[in-house]
Every structure is written in C-alpha cells, then in structure tokens.
C-alpha cells in the first residue's frame, strides 16, 4: 500500500525542497553557484573565523540546513533522502566558509557520511585548507557505552551544533572549537521511540513494519533496528523508560543542569510531545536536576515517521554560555525567542 505525499516527482523532491527553502529564507541562506546542494549562511562566514560545515541526508529537516546561519553552522552539504552528500558539495561548502582559521566538519556518525567527508577533507588539504572532524554519537541505543565511537548521531546534533557554532562565532581557535564540539558531544544523550514508519519519496512505501499496537525503543532515524519492540505503553511509561536509559548513563547529581529536547520524528504532534515534556520535568524535578533550556517540536525528523526522541545535554558553565549564545538561522533562533 502506497503512502500519500505532496510532491511532484520523488526524484526531484530534494532539489524542489531546496528551491523552496531558498525562496522562503533568502535572509539566512543561499546556494553556491554551480553547487546547488551547498547551502551557505548569508551571515556567519568571515575572515579569521573557523568555518563550520555540517551535513547529511535529506529527510531530517530542519536538520541540517535549518541550522545554517549566524552563530551556528556556516554551511550544510545536502545529500539525497537518507543518503550522504558526495564530496563535491562538501568541498565547495568548506571553501566558501574558509576564513583562514580552518574548518570544522561536524556531522552524524554514519558510514557514508564518514567516507565522503573524509574524502573531502583529504582533497581540501591539497589546497592548504585545514579541516578537523568531529562525529556526533549521542544515540545511546545504537551501541554500548564502552563502544560510544560506534554510536549514531541523532537529535542531539542540535545541541552539539549549537555549542560548536557559538564557539566559532566567538572567534575561538580551531583547537578550541574542536575541543568544544567533542565535549558537547560527550555530554549529550538521546534515545527515541518509533510508533509507525516513514516512506521515501521515491518509493512511497513504508521503510519498516510495526504492528498496530506496537512501538520500538531505540529505532534510528533511517529505520535502523532499535533495542526493544513491544506493546505501545502510555506516554508517562514510555518517557520514564527513555529517561531511565539516559540518566543511567549520564549519572547526574542533585543540583546539576541540563538542556532538554523533546523531538518529534516527523508526524507526532505537539500535544503528545508536551505530554512527554510534562513527565520529563516531573522526573528531573524529583531528581533535583534543573532544566536550563527546553526545546519541544520538530528538530531532527525522519520524514513522516511517528514517534519521538528525548535528548539531554549535561551542562557545565562553559556549555551553558555557548548554548545561550545568540544565533539566527532559517528554522532556529536562540535568545529571547526560546526563553
């Protein structure tokens, strides 16, 4: 059975989406001439500043291109749906944002992305552009804690990008920006629950199957298998189960501070996300953990997948300052708008 989508041609969906984003947000982003999958911030790149390039497959909007703007990412390389961008748009992004202080590549830990970003980095070295790479690995369900370098990067990207982008905007050195990105990633934890599948524009067919009354804990944003499948539970029980996994690894103590993201995987509405957020706050309050910042909504999606994820960033004074640093992107702004 095929799904319904408001598209023209599945093969053209990504490029038509990009054209629409450029039409809607000309104050924030532009596409490079001759490289339409290279999306660059109107404000942000400047001489002496570390350039930050993010990127990955389409279908996760507003990740990645929604976080391109002043104070956050300087550019995003865009791939096909759930597919890595090839090296060429990555290279063009890096050249466009290189201000002479080096470039940080920051993206999720997926084999195709690693291969293509690494190829781009090698080719940029021939042009004497220094590139450092940090992979996001916040998905606690995707590998054991002693194999964190194998974990996937998911919705926690939002907080890691935010901290690293602020460091770039504050004119930190490349060494310091890399340090911040790694520290932010080390202190960011995400786990999700899927309720129903998504479908790719090219196929219009579900990319996995879940029973009518089933859910799956830990499923990835491309439909990668999770860690537990079973009957759908009430929101409070699901939220408690997700938080137990995060807090068991984070090991916060009373008085600690966190940033919270309750993220829709695509089709789960705000009503359900806020029901989950209510339980998150109740749980953290009971543990004596302060919520410094909370985000609720669509931040890292999987097309129209039903489900949600919870992310906690374990803040210290440095990360809190960087999370609070202003930014202005097409689909995300920090500062008074979020407080």
């Amino acid at each position: 059975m095929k799904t319904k989508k408001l598209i023209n041609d599945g093969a053209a969906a990504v490029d038509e989406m990009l054209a629409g984003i450029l039409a809607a947000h000309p104050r924030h982003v532009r596409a490079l001439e001759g490289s339409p999958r290279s999306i660059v911030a109107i404000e942000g790149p400047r001489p002496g500043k570390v350039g930050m390039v993010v990127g990955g497959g389409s279908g996760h909007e507003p990740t990645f291109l929604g976080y391109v703007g002043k104070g956050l990412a300087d550019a995003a390389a865009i791939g096909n749906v759930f597919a890595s961008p090839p090296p060429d748009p990555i290279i063009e992004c890096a050249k466009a944002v290189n201000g002479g202080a080096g470039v940080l590549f920051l993206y999720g830990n997926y084999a195709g992305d690693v291969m293509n970003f690494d190829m781009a980095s090698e080719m940029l070295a021939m042009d004497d552009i220094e590139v450092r790479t940090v992979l996001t690995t916040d998905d606690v369900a995707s590998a054991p804690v002693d194999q964190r370098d194998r974990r996937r990067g998911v919705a926690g990207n939002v907080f890691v990008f935010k901290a690293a982008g602020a460091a770039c905007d504050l004119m930190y050195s490349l060494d310091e920006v890399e340090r911040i990105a790694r520290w932010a990633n080390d202190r960011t934890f995400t786990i999700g629950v899927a309720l129903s599948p998504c479908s790719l524009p090219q196929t219009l067919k579900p990319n996995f199957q879940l029973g009518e009354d089933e859910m799956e804990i830990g499923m990835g944003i491309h439909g990668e298998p999770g860690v537990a499948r079973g009957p759908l539970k009430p929101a409070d029980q699901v939220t408690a189960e997700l938080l137990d996994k995060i807090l068991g690894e984070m090991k916060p103590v009373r008085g600690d501070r966190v940033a919270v993201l309750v993220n829709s995987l695509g089709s789960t509405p705000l009503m359900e996300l806020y029901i989950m957020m209510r339980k998150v706050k109740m749980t953290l309050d009971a543990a004596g953990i302060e919520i410094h910042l909370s985000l609720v909504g669509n931040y890292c999606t999987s097309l129209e997948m039903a489900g949600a994820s919870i992310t906690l960033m374990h803040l210290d004074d440095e990360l809190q300052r960087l999370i609070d640093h202003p930014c202005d992107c097409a689909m995300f702004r920090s500062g008074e708008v979020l407080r």
Side-chain angles (χ1 to χ4, degrees):
M1 185 175 180
K2 288 191 174 182
T3 58
K4 298 177 182 178
K5 291 183 184 290
L6 285 172
I7 58 175
N8 297 306
D9 176 355
V14 172
D15 293 317
E16 291 184 351
M17 173 192 70
L18 292 177
I21 286 169
L22 295 170
H25 304 289
R27 186 172 68 84
H28 291 96
V29 290
R30 64 185 177 92
L32 293 180
E33 186 174 353
S35 186
R37 296 289 185 93
S38 301
I39 306 300
V40 177
I42 299 295
E43 293 189 68
R46 55 189 185 270
K49 174 183 176 294
V50 173
M52 185 170 123
V53 177
V54 300
S58 298
H60 305 301
E61 292 74 30
T63 299
F64 296 87
L65 50 82
Y67 304 122
V68 174
K70 180 169 175 51
L72 226 156
D74 295 297
I78 307 303
N80 287 328
V81 175
F82 294 178
S84 169
D88 284 350
I90 302 169
I91 291 168
E92 295 307 314
C93 280
K95 289 180 177 178
V97 306
N98 176 38
V103 175
L104 176 72
F105 284 170
L106 184 56
Y107 58 92
N109 184 25
Y110 298 91
D113 293 299
V114 171
M115 179 179 69
N116 289 341
F117 274 88
D118 281 354
M119 288 176 61
S121 180
E122 292 171 5
M123 296 176 75
L124 288 162
M126 299 181 204
D127 290 331
D128 296 320
I129 298 175
E130 184 177 6
V131 175
R132 306 278 180 86
T133 295
V134 176
L135 304 179
T136 59
T137 56
D138 58 293
D139 184 358
V140 302
S142 55
V145 66
D146 61 348
Q147 300 176 40
R148 179 152 188 177
D149 60 344
R150 293 181 49 235
R151 287 180 171 175
R152 302 183 289 252
V154 286
N157 281 334
V158 176
F159 290 144
V160 182
F161 291 177
K162 179 69 188 68
C168 292
D169 194 49
L170 291 166
M171 304 297 284
Y172 287 17
S173 69
L174 184 57
D175 285 344
E176 281 294 281
V177 169
E178 180 184 9
R179 178 188 66 80
I180 289 293
R182 294 190 185 282
W183 183 236
N185 181 65
D186 287 347
R187 293 175 70 88
T188 302
F189 307 84
T190 302
I191 188 168
V193 58
L195 307 183
S196 68
C198 62
S199 60
L200 275 61
Q202 298 93 325
T203 66
L204 300 179
K205 293 182 179 179
N207 64 339
F208 62 87
Q209 297 292 329
L210 269 174
E212 190 173 286
D213 297 314
E214 283 187 320
M215 66 177 194
E216 185 159 339
I217 300 286
M219 180 167 283
I221 56 174
H222 308 104
E224 298 95 338
V227 293
R229 179 177 290 206
L232 178 63
K233 300 173 184 176
D236 281 3
Q237 291 184 38
V238 174
T239 303
E241 188 171 338
L242 299 182
L243 281 175
D244 281 349
K245 293 182 183 298
I246 290 174
L247 295 174
E249 186 166 318
M250 180 187 290
K251 295 181 170 52
V253 298
R254 297 189 76 86
D256 280 359
R257 293 157 288 157
V258 296
V260 176
L261 169 60
V262 179
N263 170 65
S264 171
L265 291 175
S267 67
T268 296
L270 284 169
M271 174 184 281
E272 296 170 33
L273 300 180
Y274 280 114
I275 290 171
M276 295 180 72
M277 181 66 212
R278 160 191 155 276
K279 180 62 175 177
V280 170
K281 187 173 190 311
M282 290 169 59
T283 303
L284 296 180
D285 283 352
I289 300 166
E290 176 190 344
I291 298 176
H292 174 71
L293 172 69
S294 56
L295 305 178
V296 179
N298 287 36
Y299 287 86
C300 180
T301 61
S302 182
L303 295 169
E304 79 275 28
M305 187 187 295
S309 63
I310 296 173
T311 300
L312 299 186
M313 174 183 259
H314 197 178
L315 297 174
D316 59 11
D317 290 343
E318 181 178 45
L319 288 176
Q320 182 170 315
R321 286 193 301 271
L322 295 169
I323 289 294
D324 287 346
H325 183 73
C327 72
D328 185 7
C329 304
M331 305 176 197
F332 182 85
R333 293 169 182 79
S334 72
E336 292 182 2
V337 173
L338 295 180
R339 301 301 300 276

